[in-house]
Amino acid sequence: EAGVAQSPRYKIIEKRQSVAFWCNPISGHATLYWYQQILGQGPKLLIQFQNNGVVDDSQLPKDRFSAERLKGVDSTLKIQPAKLEDSAVYLCASSPAGQGLSYEQYFGPGTRLTVT
Amino acid sequence: EDKVVQSPLSLVVHEGDTVTLNCSYEVTNFRSLLWYKQEKKAPTFLFMLTSSGIEKKSGRLSSILDKKELFSILNITATQTGDSAIYLCAVMNYGGSQGNLIFGKGTKLSVKP
């Protein structure tokens, strides 16, 4: 079974530039998550999708971050404009659907973003 | 505010030692507690704990949850250099439709030969 795919693996940009990350979840997983992991910290949830709908984006800095999952499969996360403090690893995760049940989340390899 | 606290933050042991990693939490609408191992980038799933007092075991790793005292431990026996990694504890609440994971900062384990 193929895992969660992400690209690019690394990205270096200057502050105030824009950047986009792509994620392809495990086939059949309805729920998709984007996390930000700053060095020395645990991952922090940015946004959760159920199919193509947003169910939680309370921690997404909406003035500069946006995400979409138009067809309920792949997702993109965009930062525009980037700030130095956005330097982090951006992790995508997916899990099966199932109301009332707990499922583990499967993580992709992440994208390491460096903002200079 | 929901929080997950792991201790110690880092630990250095020698091969063959047994280690215990701690995770305490204060989370509203607790659903389950998960342990992940993070070696390079992607955290890989180890255990999900939902009920108190039931030990989950996988090889040399085991974990247990105490929902009364709000903590969990992860034990690794006969450690090997391949166990060197960051171990993340996360608590799933009832946020969103599938629950949200709130992560601790992790425990960095280094196993010396």
Side-chain angles (χ1 to χ4, degrees), chain A residues 3-73:
Chain A
V4 177
Q6 289 187 248
S7 68
R9 294 294 303 276
Y10 304 90
K11 190 74 178 177
I12 301 174
I13 61 172
E14 295 181 352
K15 59 184 179 184
R16 292 188 287 275
Q17 286 188 321
S18 302
V19 65
F21 313 127
W22 174 82
C23 172
N24 181 244
I26 292 173
S27 177
H29 281 193
T31 309
L32 185 147
Y33 308 80
W34 282 102
Y35 289 87
Q36 179 193 58
Q37 187 175 21
I38 292 171
L39 188 66
Q41 305 284 324
K44 184 187 86 171
L45 179 71
L46 293 175
I47 189 167
Q48 178 189 163
F49 291 95
Q50 177 80 5
N51 296 309
N52 61 347
V54 176
V55 294
D56 188 345
D57 63 357
S58 57
Q59 297 191 86
L60 187 74
K62 299 179 187 64
D63 58 332
R64 298 183 301 105
F65 286 64
S66 64
E68 60 183 15
R69 193 183 184 200
L70 292 176
K71 296 181 179 179
V73 180

Side-chain angles (χ1 to χ4, degrees), chain B residues 25-73:
Chain B
Y25 61 91
E26 292 179 28
V27 173
T28 53
N29 299 317
F30 174 90
R31 194 169 184 174
S32 57
L33 185 144
L34 292 84
W35 284 96
Y36 285 85
K37 179 181 181 182
Q38 187 171 30
E39 290 178 88
K40 294 282 178 71
K41 279 189 185 173
T44 53
F45 172 76
L46 294 175
F47 299 111
M48 176 184 283
L49 304 157
T50 307
S51 302
S52 268
I54 299 174
E55 184 183 53
K56 292 220 173 177
K57 198 168 172 65
S58 175
R60 296 175 296 101
L61 277 65
S62 63
S63 184
I64 196 161
L65 172 68
D66 186 327
K67 291 168 73 174
K68 182 180 177 184
E69 300 297 331
L70 308 183
F71 78 91
S72 173
I73 59 172

